[in-house]
Amino acid sequence: MRFLLGIRVIQPLIINLACGIGITINGPVKTKKPSPLRLLPKGDKGIFLHRYHLDKPGDYPQPFDNGIDMIILDSVSKCFGAVTAVDNVSYTIQKGESFALLGPNGAGKTTIVRMLLDFIKPSSGSITINGLLASDPESRKHIGYVAEQHMIPPYLPGFEYLLRHASLIGLSRKAAEKEVDRVLEMVSMKGQEKKKSAAYSRGMKQRIGLGAALLGQPKLLILDEPVTGLDPIGIRDVRKILENLHDKGVTVILNSHLLSEVEKTCETAAIMYKGKILVKDTINSILKDHETLEDVFFRYIEHEIE
């Protein structure tokens, strides 16, 4: 669904319901409306089959508090025919780090995100998440993912869309409703949740999508252009959400072209160009006197172009 993907283990009954939606969460399928899962690319569907069941909504799963780096890319390359999209990339992201992946279009940023989520496989090298290979479904149990462009079935109100997401991560109806109310408040969509998504603006859909990724309180949040379509108030709201998550120890990977927001939100950044990492360091370390992150970005990219 993504629209938006969060990721934890589902029971077979929930899987069956997801493919026939209509539902009482723990009861029989009532209708045969087309499933939102059918609107997804093939690789995106699989992410829903690996979500973590939280006994208490809002609790953070403990397996992440194990001293292991959250993400390690070791000599990772990805080729599409003769095109090398990612070229021998290595870096580490620690738990609780707010990390920005920057670069012009075609730099390889989204390819890295898709490899992290196991939508595609590296041509060489390895990727681990919390000590597990990215190809292992267990590695995706605690991930929330926001794609740059996602779809919500037009006949679904935002509340129902989120409720179905909550059922896929194993929450009871009562717990799911409570969790959906929590994320609706976080993304400032209370009062709009009963409207069908066909009436939503692009920014409103983006807010609902972010809410879906936040269900169950993931420990790793991967955001691909999360403020696309948002007005300045919405952009500020997302920044505050990310700051709050950082305070709670959530690891954030942010792929964005809005460099001014990245500078306010993230601690570390990597700049990519033509599949290679040009620099990865703390943002404060790569800024020179009176520079902004935008200045640094153009300094590195223009040097490569020359």
Side-chain angles (χ1 to χ4, degrees):
M1 60 202 149
R2 214 112 326 122
F3 357 164
L4 266 160
L5 308 171
I7 307 167
R8 325 240 205 269
V9 176
I10 341 179
Q11 303 300 323
L13 173 62
I14 302 296
I15 297 174
N16 292 335
L17 292 175
C19 295
I21 24 192
I23 66 188
T24 53
I25 298 299
N26 296 312
V29 175
K30 298 297 185 183
T31 72
K32 294 185 178 180
K33 290 183 179 180
S35 167
L37 294 176
R38 296 176 188 170
L39 301 178
L40 295 174
K42 182 177 179 181
D44 290 5
K45 295 176 186 177
I47 209 107
F48 280 107
L49 307 183
H50 310 290
R51 295 210 66 164
Y52 182 86
H53 183 109
L54 291 177
D55 293 326
K56 297 179 181 179
D59 283 357
Y60 283 105
Q62 294 306 307
F64 277 75
D65 302 325
N66 54 15
I68 300 173
D69 289 321
M70 180 62 79
I71 291 173
I72 300 175
L73 280 77
D74 185 8
S75 304
V76 173
S77 295
K78 178 62 182 178
C79 300
F80 297 96
V83 177
T84 301
V86 175
D87 190 359
N88 196 35
V89 166
S90 296
Y91 60 77
T92 298
I93 300 174
Q94 298 178 352
K95 287 185 174 68
E97 185 174 334
S98 293
F99 171 77
L101 189 56
L102 310 175
N105 291 335
K109 307 182 302 298
T110 297
T111 300
I112 286 179
V113 168
R114 291 179 68 80
M115 287 190 289
L116 281 169
L117 296 171
D118 199 41
F119 293 168
I120 57 176
K121 307 289 187 182
S123 300
S124 61
S126 65
I127 301 174
T128 58
I129 301 174
N130 195 41
L132 301 172
L133 288 174
S135 58
D136 185 343
E138 292 292 312
S139 72
R140 299 188 292 280
K141 279 185 177 180
H142 315 279
I143 299 176
Y145 168 51
V146 181
E148 179 180 4
Q149 295 183 349
H150 56 273
M151 297 182 296
I152 303 175
Y155 60 84
L156 272 184
F159 183 83
E160 290 296 326
Y161 173 75
L162 292 173
L163 200 61
R164 292 175 184 187
H165 275 251
S167 74
L168 288 173
I169 65 173
L171 298 181
S172 67
R173 179 76 184 205
K174 183 177 180 180
E177 290 179 350
K178 183 177 180 180
E179 181 70 352
V180 167
D181 281 339
R182 183 186 70 83
V183 299
L184 283 169
E185 194 71 46
M186 286 184 70
V187 299
S188 301
M189 282 294 288
K190 290 289 287 183
Q192 304 292 332
E193 72 272 22
K194 299 299 184 181
K195 296 179 181 178
K196 291 183 178 181
S197 68
Y200 288 168
S201 66
R202 186 178 182 185
M204 292 168 74
K205 291 177 182 178
Q206 196 72 3
R207 287 173 183 266
I208 292 292
L210 178 58
L214 294 173
L215 289 167
Q217 302 226 25
K219 290 295 287 181
L220 170 61
L221 191 61
I222 301 175
L223 308 173
D224 195 355
E225 297 290 350
V227 297
T228 299
L230 296 182
D231 58 21
I233 294 174
I235 292 172
R236 182 196 61 187
D237 289 346
V238 170
R239 187 198 319 144
K240 289 182 176 179
I241 290 170
L242 296 183
E243 289 171 351
N244 179 260
L245 294 173
H246 175 66
D247 291 342
K248 292 181 177 179
V250 176
T251 306
V252 175
I253 299 177
L254 176 61
N255 177 0
S256 178
H257 292 299
L258 195 57
L259 301 182
S260 60
E261 281 303 308
V262 169
E263 189 171 353
K264 295 173 184 176
T265 304
C266 296
E267 303 163 304
T268 57
I271 299 176
M272 293 188 70
Y273 184 69
K274 292 187 176 179
K276 293 182 177 290
I277 297 290
L278 304 182
V279 62
K280 180 191 181 295
D281 208 336
T282 64
I283 291 177
N284 287 338
S285 296
I286 61 178
L287 296 179
K288 292 184 177 179
D289 292 342
H290 308 299
E291 274 189 325
T292 64
L293 186 57
E294 183 177 290
D295 296 329
V296 172
F297 179 86
F298 282 108
R299 170 157 56 85
Y300 275 95
I301 297 301
E302 289 173 354
H303 179 268
E304 291 298 311
I305 293 174
E306 292 173 359

